[in-house]
Short mmCIF file of all heavy atoms in Angstrom, two decimals:
data_model
loop_
_atom_site.label_atom_id
_atom_site.label_comp_id
_atom_site.label_asym_id
_atom_site.label_seq_id
_atom_site.Cartn_x
_atom_site.Cartn_y
_atom_site.Cartn_z
N ILE A 2 32.38 195.57 7.49
CA ILE A 2 31.52 196.57 6.87
C ILE A 2 31.06 197.57 7.92
O ILE A 2 30.64 197.17 9.01
CB ILE A 2 30.29 195.91 6.21
CG1 ILE A 2 30.72 194.99 5.07
CG2 ILE A 2 29.31 196.96 5.70
CD1 ILE A 2 29.59 194.18 4.48
N ASP A 3 31.11 198.86 7.59
CA ASP A 3 30.53 199.87 8.46
C ASP A 3 29.20 200.30 7.86
O ASP A 3 29.15 200.91 6.79
CB ASP A 3 31.44 201.08 8.63
CG ASP A 3 30.92 202.03 9.71
OD1 ASP A 3 30.01 202.83 9.42
OD2 ASP A 3 31.43 201.95 10.84
N PHE A 4 28.12 199.98 8.56
CA PHE A 4 26.78 200.34 8.13
C PHE A 4 26.26 201.51 8.94
O PHE A 4 26.29 201.47 10.18
CB PHE A 4 25.84 199.14 8.29
CG PHE A 4 24.39 199.47 8.10
CD1 PHE A 4 23.91 199.83 6.85
CD2 PHE A 4 23.51 199.45 9.16
CE1 PHE A 4 22.58 200.15 6.66
CE2 PHE A 4 22.17 199.77 8.99
CZ PHE A 4 21.71 200.12 7.73
N HIS A 5 25.81 202.52 8.26
CA HIS A 5 25.29 203.78 8.79
C HIS A 5 26.41 204.78 9.01
O HIS A 5 27.10 204.77 10.04
CB HIS A 5 24.50 203.58 10.08
CG HIS A 5 23.79 204.85 10.50
ND1 HIS A 5 22.94 204.90 11.56
CD2 HIS A 5 23.83 206.12 10.00
CE1 HIS A 5 22.48 206.13 11.71
NE2 HIS A 5 23.01 206.89 10.76
N ASN A 6 26.60 205.65 8.04
CA ASN A 6 27.54 206.75 8.13
C ASN A 6 27.20 207.78 7.06
O ASN A 6 26.35 207.54 6.20
CB ASN A 6 28.99 206.25 8.00
CG ASN A 6 29.20 205.53 6.68
OD1 ASN A 6 29.34 206.14 5.63
ND2 ASN A 6 29.18 204.19 6.74
N HIS A 7 27.88 208.91 7.13
CA HIS A 7 27.63 210.02 6.21
C HIS A 7 28.97 210.49 5.65
O HIS A 7 29.35 211.65 5.81
CB HIS A 7 26.88 211.13 6.94
CG HIS A 7 25.61 210.66 7.57
ND1 HIS A 7 24.37 210.75 6.96
CD2 HIS A 7 25.37 210.04 8.77
CE1 HIS A 7 23.44 210.25 7.74
NE2 HIS A 7 24.02 209.80 8.84
N VAL A 8 29.65 209.56 4.99
CA VAL A 8 31.02 209.81 4.55
C VAL A 8 31.08 210.51 3.19
O VAL A 8 32.08 211.16 2.87
CB VAL A 8 31.83 208.49 4.51
CG1 VAL A 8 31.36 207.59 3.37
CG2 VAL A 8 33.32 208.75 4.42
N SER A 36 34.35 197.81 3.38
CA SER A 36 33.16 198.30 2.70
C SER A 36 32.43 199.29 3.61
O SER A 36 32.34 199.08 4.82
CB SER A 36 32.21 197.15 2.33
OG SER A 36 32.83 196.26 1.42
N ILE A 37 31.89 200.34 2.99
CA ILE A 37 31.19 201.38 3.71
C ILE A 37 29.82 201.57 3.08
O ILE A 37 29.70 201.71 1.86
CB ILE A 37 31.97 202.72 3.65
CG1 ILE A 37 33.25 202.63 4.49
CG2 ILE A 37 31.11 203.88 4.11
CD1 ILE A 37 34.17 203.84 4.34
N VAL A 38 28.77 201.57 3.90
CA VAL A 38 27.42 201.86 3.43
C VAL A 38 27.09 203.28 3.84
O VAL A 38 26.78 203.56 4.99
CB VAL A 38 26.38 200.88 4.01
CG1 VAL A 38 25.00 201.18 3.43
CG2 VAL A 38 26.78 199.43 3.70
N ASN A 39 27.18 204.22 2.88
CA ASN A 39 26.83 205.61 3.16
C ASN A 39 25.31 205.73 3.22
O ASN A 39 24.59 205.29 2.33
CB ASN A 39 27.37 206.53 2.06
CG ASN A 39 27.05 207.98 2.33
OD1 ASN A 39 27.68 208.63 3.16
ND2 ASN A 39 26.04 208.50 1.63
N THR A 40 24.82 206.33 4.30
CA THR A 40 23.37 206.44 4.51
C THR A 40 22.98 207.91 4.60
O THR A 40 22.89 208.47 5.70
CB THR A 40 22.95 205.68 5.78
OG1 THR A 40 23.83 206.04 6.86
CG2 THR A 40 23.02 204.17 5.57
N VAL A 41 22.76 208.51 3.46
CA VAL A 41 22.43 209.93 3.40
C VAL A 41 21.11 210.19 4.13
O VAL A 41 20.18 209.40 4.08
CB VAL A 41 22.33 210.40 1.93
CG1 VAL A 41 21.24 209.64 1.19
CG2 VAL A 41 22.11 211.89 1.85
N LYS A 77 35.17 199.65 -0.90
CA LYS A 77 33.91 199.59 -1.62
C LYS A 77 32.91 200.49 -0.90
O LYS A 77 32.69 200.34 0.31
CB LYS A 77 33.40 198.15 -1.67
CG LYS A 77 32.03 197.99 -2.31
CD LYS A 77 32.04 198.31 -3.79
CE LYS A 77 30.68 198.03 -4.42
NZ LYS A 77 30.64 198.40 -5.85
N ILE A 78 32.29 201.40 -1.64
CA ILE A 78 31.32 202.32 -1.05
C ILE A 78 29.94 202.06 -1.65
O ILE A 78 29.77 202.10 -2.87
CB ILE A 78 31.72 203.79 -1.29
CG1 ILE A 78 33.10 204.06 -0.69
CG2 ILE A 78 30.68 204.73 -0.67
CD1 ILE A 78 33.63 205.44 -0.98
N TYR A 79 28.98 201.78 -0.78
CA TYR A 79 27.60 201.57 -1.21
C TYR A 79 26.78 202.81 -0.87
O TYR A 79 27.03 203.49 0.13
CB TYR A 79 26.99 200.36 -0.48
CG TYR A 79 27.65 199.04 -0.80
CD1 TYR A 79 28.75 198.59 -0.07
CD2 TYR A 79 27.18 198.24 -1.83
CE1 TYR A 79 29.36 197.38 -0.36
CE2 TYR A 79 27.77 197.02 -2.13
CZ TYR A 79 28.86 196.60 -1.38
OH TYR A 79 29.46 195.39 -1.67
N SER A 80 25.80 203.09 -1.71
CA SER A 80 24.94 204.25 -1.50
C SER A 80 23.57 203.81 -1.02
O SER A 80 22.89 203.02 -1.67
CB SER A 80 24.80 205.04 -2.81
OG SER A 80 23.90 206.12 -2.65
N SER A 81 23.17 204.34 0.15
CA SER A 81 21.84 204.05 0.66
C SER A 81 21.34 205.27 1.42
O SER A 81 21.78 206.39 1.15
CB SER A 81 21.85 202.80 1.55
OG SER A 81 20.53 202.39 1.82
N ALA A 82 20.40 205.07 2.35
CA ALA A 82 19.79 206.23 3.01
C ALA A 82 19.37 205.91 4.43
O ALA A 82 19.06 204.76 4.78
CB ALA A 82 18.58 206.71 2.21
N ILE A 101 17.74 198.50 1.25
CA ILE A 101 19.04 197.84 1.38
C ILE A 101 18.85 196.33 1.24
O ILE A 101 18.00 195.74 1.90
CB ILE A 101 19.67 198.16 2.74
CG1 ILE A 101 19.71 199.68 2.95
CG2 ILE A 101 21.07 197.55 2.86
CD1 ILE A 101 19.90 200.10 4.37
N PHE A 204 34.93 207.34 12.05
CA PHE A 204 34.72 205.90 12.15
C PHE A 204 35.34 205.37 13.45
O PHE A 204 36.44 205.76 13.82
CB PHE A 204 35.34 205.19 10.94
CG PHE A 204 34.59 205.43 9.66
CD1 PHE A 204 34.96 206.44 8.80
CD2 PHE A 204 33.49 204.65 9.34
CE1 PHE A 204 34.25 206.67 7.63
CE2 PHE A 204 32.77 204.87 8.18
CZ PHE A 204 33.16 205.89 7.31
N ALA A 229 26.21 192.51 9.08
CA ALA A 229 26.43 193.56 8.10
C ALA A 229 26.57 192.97 6.70
O ALA A 229 26.06 193.54 5.72
CB ALA A 229 27.68 194.36 8.46
N LEU A 232 23.10 191.78 5.65
CA LEU A 232 22.27 192.92 5.28
C LEU A 232 22.39 193.23 3.79
O LEU A 232 21.39 193.37 3.08
CB LEU A 232 22.69 194.14 6.10
CG LEU A 232 22.03 195.47 5.74
CD1 LEU A 232 20.58 195.49 6.22
CD2 LEU A 232 22.81 196.63 6.36
N LEU A 233 23.61 193.32 3.31
CA LEU A 233 23.83 193.68 1.91
C LEU A 233 23.33 192.59 0.97
O LEU A 233 22.97 192.87 -0.18
CB LEU A 233 25.31 193.95 1.65
CG LEU A 233 25.90 195.19 2.35
CD1 LEU A 233 27.35 195.37 1.98
CD2 LEU A 233 25.10 196.43 1.98
#
Side-chain angles (χ1 to χ4, degrees):
I2 296 173
D3 189 279
F4 170 68
H5 188 174
N6 58 78
H7 304 266
V8 71
S36 297
I37 290 173
V38 183
N39 181 77
T40 47
V41 61
K77 176 67 176 177
I78 301 175
Y79 296 88
S80 177
S81 191
I101 307 162
F204 289 94
L232 174 73
L233 293 182

